[in-house]
Structure formats: C-alpha cells, structure tokens
Amino acid sequence: AQTVTQSQPEMSVQEAETVTLSCTYDTSESDYYLFWYKQPPSRQMILVIRQEAYKQQNATENRFSVNFQKAAKSFSLKISDSQLGDAAMYFCAYRITQTGTYKYIFGTGTRLKVLA
Amino acid sequence: DTAVSQTPKYLVTQMGNDKSIKCEQNLGHDTMYWYKQDSKKFLKIMFSYNNKELIINETVPNRFSPKSPDKAHLNLHINSLELGDSAVYFCASTYGGGETQYFGPGTRLLVL
C-alpha cells in the first residue's frame, strides 16, 4: 500500500530553536518526488520544500532542510531558527505514477506550535 | 495574480441540496485535482483530470461529479449533500511532467 506516516501529531518549539518533523513512507517505485507542505490557519497549502528521490543531496530552502534516507524511506524536515510564522500544520507527501498520471499521497500532518 | 482560484471560499447549505464549487488555474497546467480535507486535516485525493479527461477517481460516491470544460477549469458538483460532506475541498494543478502541485485556497463546505 502507498502510505505516508507522520508519527508526531503535534510538536512544539521555542522561537529561534530548531525542530525536526518526521515522515516515513512506503512505495515500491524507485523514482519519485517527496514534498513538505505547510498549511497555516489561513488553510492555504504552501510548498515548503521538495526532494527528488534520485538525488542523494538533501534539499535546502533557507531555514528549511530535509534529511532524506532513501533506504529507510524516511524524509524528515528540519526547521532552523524557528519563527512565530512557522506555526502551522505540516504535511509530508510523495508523488507516484498511476494510470498515466501522477498521484500525490499525503500524510496526516503534524501541527507545529512555536512558543515565544 | 492568483494562480489557482476557487469559488466560493465558504459554502453553508442544508442536507439534500445540490451545490457546485468552481476551480480555475492560470498556470497553463494540464492536470487538475480535487482533494477533500476532513475535520482531522486528512487530505485525500478525490479526482484527477488531465487535459479534460478523468484519470483518477478514488471511489468517491457518485453524488460527486467533476466536470472539466477545458484544461484550465475543473468544477465539482455535489448532489444530495450529506452531513459527512462537510469538509474543506481543495483544487490543485500541476503540469503533467512537473513535480509540484499548486493548491487553491480551499472551499469550506458546511452541511447543516
């Protein structure tokens, strides 16, 4: 089964500190993409970072970076220097190929609270 | 310019009514999706269209009927609304060969 597991329903971090959100997934494909999306209270889904599975180098976007462990099927998100605006639901997702198109599977989300 | 737009943003209606949600993207993408996000925030794909053709239908009740008049638009019509249909519905689009989905702002549907 194609699944994405986010085992932390909720996380808290002090402002300016670092937090890591975990994600594991299950796929039989060898080539796929992985994503982290952020959903603030406005409910807009915002792409945070993406990773191509064929690339060994971990993706980085400013304060956001990933730890991609392909063999372990793990894709964690690290947020450095946390800011109040980082408070949101974070969803891990991956893209698979199905019936000639692409399908995106999402995890159940992790709610991140940032404490002042 | 809004990349993916949805109307309406909020929809409150009675059980048994029929309602539609519209989605438009101006990104030139050829693939569009409908997702349902339930009260526990779980985001589940419902439909996918590629160049106006239905590609993915994830065992959604046939009260839900998507329609794609052209590749920039994907509408969702829901017949005989039920309490369990209350959710946030997201439209998204992507270019067929691309890897990133772009989401609309969501439509919060409340069925009373």
Side-chain angles (χ1 to χ4, degrees):
Chain A
Q2 314 278 7
T3 57
V4 177
T5 302
Q6 293 180 249
S7 58
Q8 306 150 317
E10 191 170 292
M11 293 281 285
S12 295
V13 63
Q14 288 291 139
E15 205 175 357
E17 297 292 310
T18 295
V19 65
T20 298
L21 309 184
S22 65
C23 173
T24 58
Y25 58 93
D26 186 18
T27 181
S28 55
E29 297 195 5
S30 59
D31 189 20
Y32 48 90
Y33 284 87
L34 295 155
F35 308 87
W36 278 97
Y37 279 89
K38 169 185 176 181
Q39 187 179 39
S42 67
R43 75 167 185 259
Q44 178 73 48
M45 293 286 286
I46 303 164
L47 177 69
V48 174
I49 199 166
R50 67 170 181 248
Q51 172 82 40
E52 296 91 330
Y54 64 87
K55 286 190 177 177
Q56 292 186 346
Q57 186 173 4
N58 289 323
T60 299
E61 287 287 342
N62 301 313
R63 298 182 296 107
F64 298 87
S65 61
V66 299
N67 183 4
F68 174 47
Q69 304 287 331
K70 190 171 184 178
K73 294 183 181 176
S74 169
F75 182 60
S76 60
L77 174 70
K78 185 170 89 170
I79 307 174
S80 304
D81 186 25
S82 297
Q83 300 175 0
L84 294 177
D86 295 334
M89 283 289 288
Y90 285 82
F91 293 94
C92 177
Y94 73 88
R95 188 196 80 174
I96 59 170
T97 304
Q98 177 174 312
T99 56
T101 190
Y102 298 115
K103 181 177 173 182
Y104 296 75
I105 309 294
F106 285 82
T108 50
T110 296
R111 183 177 300 282
L112 178 66
K113 294 184 176 180
V114 181
L115 309 173
Chain B
D1 282 346
T2 303
V4 184
S5 59
Q6 292 179 229
T7 53
K9 285 199 168 63
Y10 298 94
L11 193 50
V12 181
T13 188
Q14 299 288 328
M15 261 175 39
N17 283 351
D18 303 339
K19 290 293 178 186
S20 291
I21 307 171
K22 295 185 177 182
C23 177
E24 176 181 2
Q25 54 91 6
N26 61 7
L27 297 166
H29 290 165
D30 57 3
T31 305
M32 297 183 73
Y33 303 79
W34 277 113
Y35 288 88
K36 178 180 180 181
Q37 186 176 43
D38 61 24
S39 57
K40 294 185 178 176
K41 301 294 186 183
F42 184 56
L43 198 65
K44 190 168 177 358
I45 189 167
M46 300 173 68
F47 301 103
S48 168
Y49 269 73
N50 179 266
N51 281 319
K52 304 192 297 176
E53 184 183 347
L54 179 65
I55 301 297
I56 295 176
N57 182 341
E58 288 287 307
T59 60
V60 177
N62 57 16
R63 296 184 296 103
F64 291 79
S65 51
K67 280 194 173 55
S68 182
D70 55 62
K71 68 178 189 179
H73 295 84
L74 179 61
N75 304 323
L76 183 65
H77 187 77
I78 316 170
N79 289 326
S80 303
L81 278 155
E82 300 177 356
L83 294 176
D85 298 331
S86 295
V88 180
Y89 292 84
F90 284 97
C91 176
S93 73
T94 187
Y95 173 63
E99 65 274 5
T100 302
Q101 283 191 310
Y102 293 83
F103 283 82
T107 295
R108 183 179 292 279
L109 170 65
L110 179 59
V111 182
L112 303 174

